[in-house]
Amino acid sequence: MNPTIAIIGGTGLATLDTLKIIRQETRSTPYGEPSSPLVYGELGGQPVVFLARHGQHHTLPPHKINYRANLWALHRIGVKQVIAVAAVGGIRADMDPGALAFPDQIIDYTWGRPCTFFEDHLTHVTHIDFTEPYCPELRERLIQTACALKLDARESGVYAAMSGPRLETAAEIRRLERDGCAMVGMTGMPEAALARELGLRYAVCAVVANWAAGKAAGEITMTEIERNLVGGMEQVKTLLTQVIPGLKPV
Ligand code: HPA
């Protein structure tokens, strides 16, 4: 039987060394190729499938990711719940690098990305409800487990989805802050909306990789991002190993 739980790994999590790999599968979809093969395995004794959002060698920038193919491939094999891991920049004062964050809302500032499955061959126009963009039950499980493990976790916040691949200007971050955003990333949309269109339960575990532009002195460097992600991703792996066995089948 195929797994019903998927993990989408982001920057800093192109492979999951805690996963006991069983097999890999390259799939194609009506929307093209997913970012990486689907890696089937076991985590905490539970079957899961892992997909590397930026490719297995981290070569796909955020605006080139085929989000539709990724979500479609997972849906097609029978996935019902998706934990999406993503690196973000910290905007809110408590979003210091290395922390985990579980966004409860999102604002989509991306442009030019294919963002829906509902555009061709429609019998009627479809608008999904997106009032709560993340699955409340799945978020709650993640938060409770992170707290029980005493991980360095922030329980809510608005995620600003930017197109990238460049980082933001300080003025852009001030604007996002005025909009109420707590963190900023480049892959949150259309991933979350596509998951909802397919009826998947979807929640994000973000890892703060850096202070967002203008929130700390000096430039943001890839070295800094990579360094902060190492510790953050160790927390993510601990969390995943603990949370996944307790997820109820849906
Ligand atoms: N901005 C946008 N996306 C990001 C950042 C950032 O500062 N850090 C990691 N992903």
Side-chain angles (χ1 to χ4, degrees):
M1 230 191 44
N2 277 337
T4 59
I5 300 168
I7 299 163
I8 301 182
T11 301
L13 200 71
T15 55
L16 194 55
D17 53 20
T18 44
L19 185 70
K20 201 170 116 209
I21 297 175
I22 296 166
R23 67 187 172 98
Q24 296 204 15
E25 180 186 34
T26 304
R27 289 194 80 101
S28 64
T29 77
Y31 302 95
E33 301 281 310
S35 300
S36 76
L38 303 183
V39 181
Y40 294 83
E42 262 181 29
L43 196 64
Q46 178 94 308
V48 294
V49 57
F50 179 83
L51 178 88
R53 188 190 283 115
H54 296 275
Q56 278 183 321
H57 305 289
H58 202 260
T59 46
L60 280 172
H63 65 296
K64 292 280 193 188
I65 292 167
N66 191 336
Y67 296 93
R68 290 197 296 188
N70 288 353
L71 274 298
W72 189 268
L74 296 177
H75 174 61
R76 190 77 185 78
I77 64 161
V79 163
K80 307 283 184 226
Q81 309 193 65
V82 179
I83 300 175
V85 181
V88 294
I91 300 177
R92 205 172 62 198
D94 63 344
M95 291 284 170
D96 41 318
L100 302 187
F102 301 98
D104 59 335
Q105 279 292 332
I106 191 163
I107 301 181
D108 187 6
Y109 300 92
T110 65
W111 48 273
R113 297 181 177 182
C115 60
T116 181
F117 294 111
F118 296 136
E119 56 183 3
D120 293 321
H121 317 297
L122 296 179
T123 50
H124 54 272
V125 174
T126 306
H127 303 286
I128 52 154
D129 174 73
F130 206 43
T131 312
E132 295 297 336
Y134 303 110
C135 169
E137 291 85 13
L138 189 52
R139 274 193 72 244
E140 201 48 44
R141 293 294 312 158
L142 288 165
I143 293 167
Q144 277 175 9
T145 310
C147 290
L149 290 167
K150 300 202 175 359
L151 300 178
D152 186 18
R154 312 292 173 266
E155 297 184 20
S156 62
V158 181
Y159 176 113
M162 300 293 277
S163 278
R166 68 166 176 82
L167 295 166
E168 297 71 33
T169 65
E172 284 169 335
I173 293 298
R174 286 196 297 272
R175 173 198 172 199
L176 298 183
E177 196 168 23
R178 285 194 301 275
D179 284 355
C181 299
M183 66 198 100
V184 55
M186 300 180 191
T187 56
M189 286 293 281
E191 197 172 89
L194 293 169
R196 179 62 55 81
E197 285 189 349
L198 294 173
L200 301 173
R201 293 178 173 224
Y202 174 95
V204 166
C205 172
V207 181
V208 185
N210 55 281
W211 283 112
K215 289 284 159 194
E219 290 180 7
I220 302 165
T221 64
M222 284 307 290
T223 321
E224 171 196 354
I225 290 182
E226 280 156 17
R227 195 184 49 235
N228 290 324
L229 284 178
V230 173
M233 288 306 163
E234 286 310 311
Q235 296 203 80
V236 170
K237 288 182 208 170
T238 309
L239 174 64
L240 291 174
T241 307
Q242 201 67 31
V243 81
I244 281 177
L247 290 182
K248 284 199 229 75
V250 284

